[in-house]
Amino acid sequence: LHGVWSRFFPAMQELRKTIDSGAIGDVVSAHASFCQNDGAGSCSALLETGIYCAQFLQWAFGSQAPEAVEGVSFDLHENGLDQHVAALLRFPGGGVGTFECSLRHPSPRMATICGTKGVIRVPFPFWCPTSFTVQRMTGLGSQQWSEEEVHEFALPPIEGPFNFVHSEGLAYEAEEVNRCIREGLKESPSFTSTECLSVMSIISEIKAHWEEDATGRMTLEKKGALLPSMKRKLDGPCHPHDAGLLFCALHAQKRRALGVL
């Protein structure tokens, strides 16, 4: 399951059904922002909060991998760790995804999906959501707005204390693990190894804008899941820590939410 607990929230599953139903038409663009003024210089903003933005954009575009990272803006802490990153991704069919992550300033931490017929808004906290709205926009200048259709979902009745918002929702991923084990599945269809590798490729491609290649790298075998721009590196690609730190950062964050770190 690779530590991306977002995918197992009922709101995320319903979000996918809403998109697939054509309620907002064809998805053309999506944006996610996860910025907090906590942790700058202690870890990578891209690995700490950017991972959630990348996986959300992937989900918005039907779990497709982006074709390329078209643009990156970044700011590094004095110790070399990224503390503020923004990226522009191109998805198949002309789709555009943008995200911003930071550990030096806060943002609303919301997400938006725009289609040819309307908009889906996911309020704070979009990475562990319990609600979203759907609004259709038509007419001259798209100025005729329908009433917002609100989808809300209760969290599991689990008592804290917790360090972070909606930590009760970790139970959703635990339930999915149990289901997969009972049914003899090696991975969850809600977040497959192919999708995980795609997200890691996005992160690696973005990090390449400020990190030089190093020796002692590992070869990624699943070439089909990589971005085209990453494939050129496959004969000796990818920092070992691109995979290792991504995995560790996600699970460290989970353990902190449960108060065990």
Side-chain angles (χ1 to χ4, degrees), residues 57-234:
L57 297 183
Q58 183 190 57
W59 191 242
F61 284 99
S63 296
Q64 297 183 95
E67 294 178 337
V69 176
E70 294 283 13
V72 173
S73 178
F74 63 89
D75 181 69
L76 304 181
H77 188 270
E78 60 184 12
N79 63 12
L81 287 170
D82 56 286
Q83 59 183 1
H84 184 198
V85 179
L88 170 66
L89 312 180
R90 185 181 75 241
F91 284 85
V96 174
T98 57
F99 77 80
E100 178 189 20
C101 60
S102 176
L103 297 178
R104 69 172 186 172
H105 76 284
S107 71
R109 286 157 284 178
M110 302 166 59
T112 306
I113 303 172
C114 301
T116 54
K117 297 180 181 179
V119 173
I120 293 174
R121 300 182 182 90
V122 186
F124 171 89
F126 79 87
W127 65 96
C128 48
T130 55
S131 68
F132 67 88
T133 63
V134 181
Q135 190 168 44
R136 294 164 186 81
M137 300 176 182
T138 59
L140 182 64
S142 297
Q143 297 178 91
Q144 296 178 17
W145 293 19
S146 69
E147 290 293 323
E148 283 192 330
E149 179 183 307
V150 181
H151 298 255
E152 295 181 309
F153 306 84
L155 286 166
I158 301 173
E159 295 184 2
F162 302 108
N163 291 330
F164 296 105
V165 65
H166 292 181
S167 291
E168 303 95 318
L170 289 167
Y172 295 131
E173 188 174 18
E175 290 172 358
E176 179 67 356
V177 169
N178 288 328
R179 184 188 73 82
C180 290
I181 291 173
R182 288 196 306 270
E183 298 181 11
L185 300 177
K186 295 182 179 179
E187 62 182 17
S188 169
S190 294
F191 193 58
T192 66
S193 57
T194 298
E195 290 179 74
C196 178
L197 187 57
S198 169
V199 172
M200 291 168 65
S201 296
I202 296 170
I203 298 300
S204 294
E205 180 76 358
I206 293 171
K207 284 169 66 68
H209 283 75
W210 64 83
E211 287 191 343
E212 293 182 357
D213 288 343
T215 58
R217 297 168 297 166
M218 64 182 180
T219 300
L220 295 176
E221 296 178 353
K222 295 186 177 180
K223 300 183 182 181
L226 298 176
L227 304 184
S229 51
M230 285 293 293
K231 290 181 180 178
R232 65 178 181 271
K233 303 178 182 179
L234 280 170

